[in-house]
Amino acid sequence: MAYADMLKPEVLEPAIWKSLLAIEAQAVEHCPVALVNGGNLRNSITIATDKNKKQHGASEDGLSGGSAEYQGVIGSGAEYAGAVEFGRPDMPNYPAQPFLRPAVDWFRSKIGQITGGELKKQMEYYNIRHPYKAKEIIVGNK
Amino acid sequence: MTIAQSAIDVYLRADSTLMNYIGGVGAPTLTVGRLYYMIAPEDATLPYVVYTMVSNTDAQEFFEKDDTQARIQFDAVCGNSPLAQLTGVAIDDRLRTLLRYHSGTLSGLTAWMIKPANRRERYNPDTARYVFSSDYIIRAHS
């Protein structure tokens, strides 16, 4: 067993949510808003998490054979979001006004602080909630 | 115009192959050739290139580093005749050849690595224009 075994759903999901919230906050900051009746695009920015179960065969101890892959999604439901983000092919001199990519790029520079910090915190909570499991993982890892 | 933008601009304008496509003759100045920053003129001759600074953040990941990570989007705009499309693709390819995994000194900038991030093409039948877009992430020290 390894430290990665501590990455249970209850540990991972808060870290993913925290990351998504940070990206969303930045995307909202960058999103262009029209002066008149504006804000639809900004309000349409949405986040979600998803979990794909995967079977990788039996693990080393033969007890747990399944694992899950977690992913976070951020996007916008507005049909013109792509045109704002990348520019418009019908109006090539209409400037692209990226708002999602800058947010993701900013997040990439903070991933250690935000996701890493939250993961560390959640793993510490996991240790408190499941002291025997955590001890088993750490001792078994040697 | 930031240091990264002007460095890229001068670097690209010095390439005669690229500038031959877009109306310049290898002159490393900021005025020759149809290479525009953010917005092209309404009546710009096709083909031309528009580039946009998508983001410019600190390149801190898990370690503190005094690097910059900039993402620049290049749009090669061309008409819809077969020859024009080929020219558009050739411009996009030339940009890729010039930038992909380039490292070393650009003007006023030390690029550690230029990484292609995204590539897509769009077409609008109303204006009969193709846009070949590429994103590049530039990790540099200025």
Side-chain angles (χ1 to χ4, degrees):
Chain A
M1 296 180 82
Y3 283 105
D5 291 334
M6 267 196 262
L7 299 179
K8 305 289 184 196
E10 61 202 273
V11 174
L12 276 176
E13 276 215 61
I16 293 174
W17 273 111
K18 178 115 181 175
S19 313
L20 286 171
L21 284 169
I23 300 172
E24 187 189 26
Q26 282 293 311
V28 164
E29 287 279 324
H30 285 99
C31 187
V33 177
L35 288 175
V36 181
N37 292 332
N40 179 55
L41 181 61
R42 187 181 58 187
N43 295 340
S44 73
I45 297 170
T46 314
I47 56 176
T49 56
D50 195 8
K51 185 172 75 173
N52 296 323
K53 282 189 179 169
K54 281 193 170 180
Q55 185 75 31
H56 294 300
S59 59
E60 283 179 14
D61 57 7
L63 297 175
S64 56
S67 68
E69 193 174 80
Y70 294 90
Q71 57 190 16
V73 182
I74 179 166
S76 166
E79 61 181 4
Y80 56 92
V84 176
E85 174 74 29
F86 298 112
R88 296 173 59 164
D90 57 334
M91 291 171 66
N93 47 13
Y94 182 90
Q97 299 171 81
F99 59 99
L100 281 174
R101 283 175 295 168
V104 172
D105 289 344
W106 171 85
F107 174 73
R108 194 180 286 130
S109 73
K110 305 284 180 199
I111 191 167
Q113 290 172 28
I114 298 171
T115 312
E118 184 67 18
L119 264 179
K120 187 181 170 207
K121 195 170 87 180
Q122 293 298 331
M123 286 168 88
E124 284 167 4
Y125 288 164
Y126 184 84
N127 283 351
I128 293 167
R129 284 195 299 265
H130 308 287
Y132 297 109
K133 276 189 190 175
K135 191 179 173 189
E136 182 191 328
I137 287 167
I138 293 164
V139 172
N141 194 38
K142 286 180 180 174
Chain B
M1 190 178 271
T2 63
I3 295 170
Q5 278 169 286
S6 63
I8 288 291
D9 198 286
V10 172
Y11 173 61
L12 293 181
R13 281 176 199 278
D15 183 65
S16 56
T17 309
L18 176 68
M19 295 313 286
N20 281 336
Y21 287 125
I22 54 176
V25 195
T29 68
L30 297 179
T31 52
V32 177
R34 298 187 296 276
L35 176 63
Y36 304 110
Y37 171 56
M38 199 179 280
I39 308 172
E42 191 75 40
D43 54 353
T45 310
L46 295 174
Y48 59 85
V49 174
V50 182
Y51 66 102
T52 310
M53 178 68 88
V54 173
S55 68
N56 194 351
T57 60
D58 290 343
Q60 297 170 358
E61 288 177 1
F62 289 97
F63 308 102
E64 294 286 328
K65 278 189 177 179
D66 189 18
D67 281 4
T68 295
Q69 183 173 285
R71 184 195 286 255
I72 299 184
Q73 172 183 337
F74 292 91
D75 292 342
V77 184
C78 63
N80 72 338
S81 73
L83 186 61
Q85 287 177 46
L86 283 176
T87 310
V89 172
I91 293 171
D92 198 32
D93 283 345
R94 187 64 191 162
L95 284 168
R96 194 174 175 84
T97 306
L98 286 170
L99 296 173
R100 186 168 182 255
Y101 299 132
H102 175 86
S103 63
T105 308
L106 300 174
S107 92
L109 196 75
T110 306
W112 301 128
M113 173 70 82
I114 301 179
K115 198 172 77 172
N118 204 352
R119 207 174 190 191
R120 61 204 167 275
E121 63 180 78
R122 293 164 289 159
Y123 175 65
N124 184 278
D126 295 335
T127 52
R129 283 179 174 185
Y130 275 94
V131 180
F132 298 92
S133 297
S134 304
D135 278 19
Y136 294 90
I137 292 177
I138 301 163
R139 188 157 185 170
H141 185 88
S142 58

